[in-house]
Amino acid sequence: MNEKPDRDDRSSKKLTSSCLYVGGTCFLCVALSILTIILFLSILFAALDVRLGFQSTSFRTLLISVFYAVCVPSISFLAEIIKSLFPWPILLILVLALIAWGPNRIRDLLSSAKFELPGGFKFDGGSAPPDIFRKEMGDAQRAVERANKEIEQAYDGAKIYVSQLRDRYDINKLVGDLALKVADAIGDNCPSDYRLTLYVPDLVFSDRLYQLSEYYDKKGNRVSEGRSGRAFSIRYGVIGRVWRSGVDEIEGELISADDRAQLGSAASGENLDKFIARRWGLTLDEVFKIRPYQSYGAIRLDGGGKSLGVIFFDSKLMNAFGNETLLREKIRSLIRESKLTLSLLEINLELAPWSRIQIFRNL
């Protein structure tokens, strides 16, 4: 009974010694399992007629396969639709119509196009420059029209206020008296068409002169109607030049002898008109209005350290005012004796708090 257990132990040791262990795992058992699986798969593939091996694949061959499997059928499908909807005669007519329409129109059409393609690609041609300019000009035109209406209303109010100022400071009488005294200073040769008026700083714009009074003749009587209330640029004619410079001017010829000598044979007709326009800062239409007046005078009135106004007188006769230098001194003396300068200073102080519109400004 003691020998049987010994035989069992020996058989167990014999079986154990036939395995090859690697880290506690039987290597021979694993190899046998793998071979068994390969054999099973070989029998299965042979039964299903599965070909052995495989073709090598690259990214290029994959793209080609996708192109032929997906893109070509899609393109063919779209081509069939286009051919059915747009036969070639219709396409030919469309091309000819576009050519006749003109490349400029096509460019304008494309430049104003806006579209977005799949993938986030956006095209925004924007509005054609002429359209943008036309729109901006339209907006500016409407803004200017509104501003012009408001300016007209401002001048309407200014005329009412100026009428009150004229009455309060007796401007009409003072200008009439000064016209009479200037005519007396000119002497017996004072022409019958002599006239005098007064300009002051404009009430609305900072770069304009406002005609405060009507014209008065050599007897101090009013000889015009509806001339007061007009506004002129400070760059207009002799009144603008005297206002800006403060230099008095009295001349007996619209075109001086030196200017006529410089012009020579061109001192007539259209060439003369253009010369006057350049010399006096006028338009040709304005030249047509002033050209008959050969003699003129403009003197600035100053007081209290301020420029208060400009008196202006003229005549259609050439050399109508005699000795210009002597007359200038006499008029200066008359202005100092007149109450007109004091009245204009009071008006200027009354209008000082007003803010005027400034259009042009040098930057």
Side-chain angles (χ1 to χ4, degrees), residues 220-266:
N221 298 322
R222 189 172 68 180
V223 292
S224 68
E225 190 69 36
R227 297 298 182 90
S228 63
R230 297 186 300 173
F232 298 90
S233 169
I234 59 173
R235 294 171 176 80
Y236 174 83
V238 66
I239 59 172
R241 191 160 68 182
V242 170
W243 172 261
R244 299 192 312 271
S245 66
V247 178
D248 303 336
E249 294 191 30
I250 300 176
E251 298 291 343
E253 296 182 61
L254 184 61
I255 303 298
S256 66
D258 292 339
D259 291 337
R260 289 186 181 276
Q262 180 181 352
L263 289 172
S265 60

Side-chain angles (χ1 to χ4, degrees), residues 100-114:
W101 195 24
N104 291 335
R105 297 184 180 90
I106 297 174
R107 182 177 63 252
D108 294 341
L109 180 63
L110 292 177
S111 64
S112 61
K114 295 182 181 180

